[in-house]
Amino acid sequence: MPPQLPPSVPRIRLQPRARKSPLQKCRYATAVAAITPAPSIEKLTTSVPPLARYPPSQPPSHRPPEFRKSQLHRQYTSLLRSTPLMLLFQHNNLKSVEWMGIRRELTTALRKVDGSRAAEGRGDADLAEGIKVQIIQTGLFAAALRVVEYFRPDLQPQAQSHHPSDPATQSSKSIPNVRPSPDEPTFSHGLSRAAHDAVMNKKLTHALTPLLSGPLVAVTFPTVSPQHLKAVLSILSPSPPDFPAPSRRLNPGYHDRTVQSGIQKLLLLGTRVEGKVFDVEGTKWVGSIEGGLDGLREQLVAMLSSVGAGLTNTLESAGRNLYLTVEGRRGMLEVEQKGPEDGSEGTPKEGPSKAP
């Protein structure tokens, strides 16, 4: 047989790619330049700051932030700085059922106060939801109190050179690539090393320190309201006649055995009002202010008005007395000058009567 030849494979003719002319390249570059704007002068003269290696809500701290004690310390520090009125009670092993009953009766009394204030047209009539009762740890609360009272972040020395994580540091600056340290003076939060050294290296005592012993309960108020304070004292520490307990007819739930058992285990220690410490008598004085803060403002305005009126009368008395004296003397002189003329022109003078 003749040899079989393989079938012929068709050849694929490749066409060369068309080359762009220099004119077309210039057109493409012109289009790109027209779309892309030129950088501004600020971008040419400044550089992007480096990113911090920690979240802004959790900077490096002297205390480990993942521990529960550190978070409680931050919570107590924020509570002391944001709460203008705080009541402190000492509790003695209250049960959960007793706490539930006390919170229920306290919420009921506070809502009644809000209702009365809303009927009077007060703007801040919704305060019952912001009044909280919580158990605090005495040691951590005392440490947070020292930080709030004696640590001043604005007086701490600042760092001489910028840290790599500081946004004020430009990225073009030659800086070492290191992680931020808790010992940096730029950190001045409550858990920083500066706050720790400011309050732990000295024997600092606060007026509230003698009360911080044993198990404590804090009743916090979002604002200073003597009316709400009176309601809280009437429930947690009743003392007639100024702070009487609710009657059984108006509030029968207050006289339950569990509620009364829990109230007997609470002892009022004192109050912190606007950074000032008050004892039990001072607390009752704040709660007994008639009309709340508005009534106190009215009393202050009345007192200042009376003082101003008295001062005005005192200053005007000298001029008034001088005016009256001058007017009186002038009248006397006019009478002396007109007296003889009026006597001569009037009725004749009567002579001595003769005896018959």
Side-chain angles (χ1 to χ4, degrees):
M1 305 179 52
Q4 296 180 359
L5 299 176
S8 60
V9 179
R11 295 181 180 181
I12 299 176
R13 182 176 296 178
L14 299 177
Q15 297 181 358
R17 182 180 298 177
R19 296 182 179 181
K20 295 182 179 180
S21 61
L23 182 59
Q24 292 179 348
K25 292 183 180 180
C26 294
R27 290 179 180 177
Y28 179 75
T30 305
V32 172
I35 296 174
T36 305
S40 61
I41 300 178
E42 289 78 6
K43 292 183 179 181
L44 294 176
T45 56
T46 59
S47 57
V48 180
L51 298 177
R53 296 191 177 185
Y54 56 87
S57 60
Q58 188 175 344
S61 60
H62 176 68
R63 298 172 180 266
E66 62 272 9
F67 291 164
R68 183 173 180 269
K69 289 185 177 180
S70 301
Q71 299 302 324
L72 285 177
H73 189 280
R74 295 181 61 184
Q75 178 183 353
Y76 293 156
T77 303
S78 176
L79 186 67
L80 288 168
R81 289 174 176 170
S82 60
T83 303
L85 177 59
M86 179 184 297
L87 282 174
L88 289 179
F89 290 87
Q90 188 176 20
H91 69 93
N92 185 12
N93 298 327
L94 271 77
K95 300 179 181 179
S96 60
V97 180
E98 297 172 348
W99 277 121
M100 290 175 58
I102 290 175
R103 286 191 171 95
R104 181 188 70 243
E105 298 302 325
L106 191 62
T107 303
T108 303
L110 292 174
R111 287 179 178 175
K112 289 182 180 179
V113 176
D114 285 347
S116 62
R117 291 172 64 89
E120 296 175 0
R122 303 289 181 86
D124 53 347
D126 190 11
L127 295 179
E129 302 298 331
I131 300 176
K132 304 296 182 181
V133 181
Q134 58 179 339
I135 300 175
I136 59 176
Q137 293 191 11
T138 308
L140 292 176
F141 188 80
L145 179 64
R146 288 195 299 268
V147 171
V148 171
E149 294 293 337
Y150 301 109
F151 176 60
R152 298 293 180 268
D154 52 345
L155 300 180
Q156 298 299 319
Q158 300 296 328
Q160 300 297 331
S161 59
H162 294 291
H163 196 269
S165 62
D166 190 357
T169 304
Q170 301 298 329
S171 60
S172 60
K173 187 176 181 180
S174 176
I175 51 179
N177 188 12
V178 295
R179 295 182 62 85
S181 174
D183 298 336
E184 290 290 335
T186 55
F187 302 129
S188 58
H189 52 89
L191 296 177
S192 61
R193 182 61 179 270
H196 178 270
D197 295 341
V199 300
M200 296 301 294
N201 294 339
K202 300 178 183 178
K203 295 182 179 180
L204 301 175
T205 58
H206 190 262
L208 203 61
T209 303
L211 304 180
L212 301 180
S213 61
L216 298 180
V217 176
V219 183
T220 57
F221 295 75
T223 182
V224 179
S225 177
Q227 295 178 349
H228 289 82
L229 177 59
K230 183 177 181 179
V232 172
L233 292 178
S234 299
I235 297 296
L236 301 182
S237 181
S239 58
D242 296 333
F243 304 95
S247 62
R248 187 182 297 271
R249 182 176 61 86
L250 296 177
N251 192 358
Y254 177 77
H255 296 274
D256 292 344
R257 181 177 300 178
T258 55
V259 177
Q260 292 297 320
S261 176
I263 291 176
Q264 292 176 3
K265 298 178 182 179
L266 292 176
L267 177 63
L268 178 62
L269 300 179
T271 311
R272 184 176 183 266
V273 183
E274 298 291 348
K276 305 295 182 182
V277 180
F278 292 85
D279 56 358
V280 178
E281 297 299 328
T283 304
K284 293 180 179 180
W285 174 80
V286 175
S288 61
I289 297 176
E290 296 294 336
L293 288 181
D294 295 335
L296 187 62
R297 293 188 185 99
E298 293 176 359
Q299 296 177 10
L300 181 60
V301 170
M303 183 180 64
L304 293 177
S305 300
S306 61
V307 171
L311 180 60
T312 303
N313 293 332
T314 302
L315 295 176
E316 291 179 354
S317 61
R320 188 183 300 110
N321 294 335
L322 180 60
Y323 173 77
L324 294 176
T325 302
V326 172
E327 288 295 328
R329 183 59 180 171
R330 186 177 63 179
M332 292 175 60
L333 293 176
E334 291 178 356
V335 170
E336 291 179 357
Q337 292 177 1
K338 296 180 179 180
E341 299 177 359
D342 296 342
S344 59
E345 296 178 358
T347 59
K349 297 181 179 180
E350 297 180 356
S353 59
K354 296 181 181 181

